[in-house]
Amino acid sequence: MSAVGIPYTGFLPMYEPEYPGPHAWSSFMGFINFLMELLRDPRTAIAGWIAMGPAYAYGFIFLIIFIETGVVFMPFLPGDSLLFAAGFFAHEPASGLDIIHLLLLVWAAAVVGDQCNFFIGHFFGKRIIASGKIKAMTPERIAKSEAFLDKWGHLAIFLGRFFPFIRTFVPFLAGVGGMKWHSFVLFNILGGVTWSTGFVLLGYFFGGIPVVQEHFELLIVGIVLVSVIPTAAGLLRAKFGKKQAA
């Protein structure tokens, strides 16, 4: 058990000697298992990091938020639910996480991550898209994301923060499309601070409610569904609208 009462399963799963295998394969499977556990219940993952020390917890939270927003081929990381769970732990004195430090950390991760994604798109985006190596970036999805940018302009940088996958692709495509940096950075800061603060404070103020603690995993699933439904609805609407037009 960790200091905050959540079972500690460790950062990566332990492998028993009776299951030998190549080190690289074991490391890869450990990473996949870690991602699956993080998607299923980020609270358990954060409890494991806290058991290693608050500095590790801060570091991993920063890293995951940064990667989700800053690396175009990692859009599936659970930013919303991780922020909520981190806010929950910041409300627990025994966790060692401070709400002010946590907010400053996630602000930096969200803003710097988006900014890196913008520069990746600006300098390397066309070559990355042409290579076809990022399977999630199909020509249809790229066209729809570009249409989203055309429709909402700079406001798309702010609004895109609240939708999984879109928040990863929009800054990248803004860089590809040649959006001016000084225009991008303002909406990047506004969006990053608003998004990260909202989910952290939700966890901070409501994560400790008994009924929330009892059904924490269901709540995480709900957060993911609420985040994904608007995106899925938009894709379905576009698909069936296209069929009707044909």
Side-chain angles (χ1 to χ4, degrees), residues 10 58 67 73 76 78 87 98 141 155 159 166 181 209 234:
Y58 284 128
I67 291 174
F73 53 83
F76 51 82
D98 175 74
R141 287 175 180 169
L155 192 58
L159 296 174
I166 288 179
W181 177 81
I209 297 174

Side-chain angles (χ1 to χ4, degrees), residues 133-145:
K133 292 181 178 180
I134 302 178
K135 302 304 180 184
M137 297 191 69
T138 62
E140 184 180 15
R141 287 175 180 169
I142 292 171
K144 288 175 181 175
S145 298

Side-chain angles (χ1 to χ4, degrees), residues 90-138:
H91 193 266
E92 299 290 327
S95 72
L97 298 184
D98 175 74
I99 185 63
I100 300 301
H101 293 158
L102 178 63
L103 285 172
L104 292 173
L105 182 91
V106 297
W107 291 348
V111 171
V112 175
D114 247 32
Q115 196 61 66
C116 287
N117 211 348
F118 175 83
F119 284 130
I120 291 171
H122 181 76
F123 291 107
F124 310 107
K126 292 181 180 178
R127 276 180 283 174
I128 291 173
I129 293 172
S131 72
K133 292 181 178 180
I134 302 178
K135 302 304 180 184
M137 297 191 69
T138 62

Side-chain angles (χ1 to χ4, degrees), residues 201-241:
L201 292 184
L202 280 173
Y204 184 82
F205 289 113
F206 299 105
I209 297 174
V211 67
V212 173
Q213 292 191 2
E214 290 172 11
H215 304 285
F216 201 88
E217 290 187 25
L218 290 176
L219 181 65
I220 294 302
V221 172
I223 290 173
V224 173
L225 288 176
V226 168
S227 301
V228 169
I229 283 172
T231 304
L235 292 173
L236 289 172
R237 188 163 53 246
K239 180 178 180 180
F240 286 111

Side-chain angles (χ1 to χ4, degrees), residues 2-245:
S2 71
V4 292
I6 305 298
Y8 171 48
T9 57
F11 173 57
L12 293 176
M14 297 296 291
Y15 291 90
E16 299 294 335
E18 59 265 27
Y19 300 104
H23 177 71
W25 177 253
S26 296
S27 299
F28 174 75
M29 291 306 299
F31 177 69
I32 295 299
N33 289 336
F34 161 69
L35 287 180
M36 293 301 294
E37 178 63 25
L38 184 63
L39 288 166
R40 186 184 68 83
D41 185 6
R43 186 175 60 163
T44 300
I46 295 176
W49 304 337
I50 290 172
M52 298 166 66
Y56 285 96
Y58 284 128
F60 284 123
I61 291 168
F62 179 94
L63 186 64
I64 289 169
I65 298 300
F66 172 82
I67 291 174
E68 192 213 9
T69 57
V71 180
V72 70
F73 53 83
M74 297 287 279
F76 51 82
L77 291 177
D80 299 338
S81 54
L82 183 77
L83 291 170
F84 183 90
F88 159 75
F89 279 108
H91 193 266
E92 299 290 327
S95 72
L97 298 184
D98 175 74
I99 185 63
I100 300 301
H101 293 158
L102 178 63
L103 285 172
L104 292 173
L105 182 91
V106 297
W107 291 348
V111 171
V112 175
D114 247 32
Q115 196 61 66
C116 287
N117 211 348
F118 175 83
F119 284 130
I120 291 171
H122 181 76
F123 291 107
F124 310 107
K126 292 181 180 178
R127 276 180 283 174
I128 291 173
I129 293 172
S131 72
K133 292 181 178 180
I134 302 178
K135 302 304 180 184
M137 297 191 69
T138 62
E140 184 180 15
R141 287 175 180 169
I142 292 171
K144 288 175 181 175
S145 298
E146 288 175 340
F148 181 76
L149 278 168
D150 290 340
K151 179 179 180 179
W152 295 102
H154 298 142
L155 192 58
I157 307 302
F158 177 87
L159 296 174
R161 284 286 190 176
F162 299 91
F163 303 100
F165 290 88
I166 288 179
R167 66 169 155 260
T168 304
F169 292 147
V170 162
F172 176 83
L173 293 173
V176 173
M179 182 180 288
K180 299 296 184 182
W181 177 81
H182 60 80
S183 300
F184 173 84
V185 70
L186 174 62
F187 289 91
N188 174 25
I189 293 172
L190 290 174
V193 170
T194 303
W195 168 66
S196 57
T197 301
F199 278 99
V200 166
L201 292 184
L202 280 173
Y204 184 82
F205 289 113
F206 299 105
I209 297 174
V211 67
V212 173
Q213 292 191 2
E214 290 172 11
H215 304 285
F216 201 88
E217 290 187 25
L218 290 176
L219 181 65
I220 294 302
V221 172
I223 290 173
V224 173
L225 288 176
V226 168
S227 301
V228 169
I229 283 172
T231 304
L235 292 173
L236 289 172
R237 188 163 53 246
K239 180 178 180 180
F240 286 111
K242 190 174 182 181
K243 286 183 178 180
Q244 290 176 358

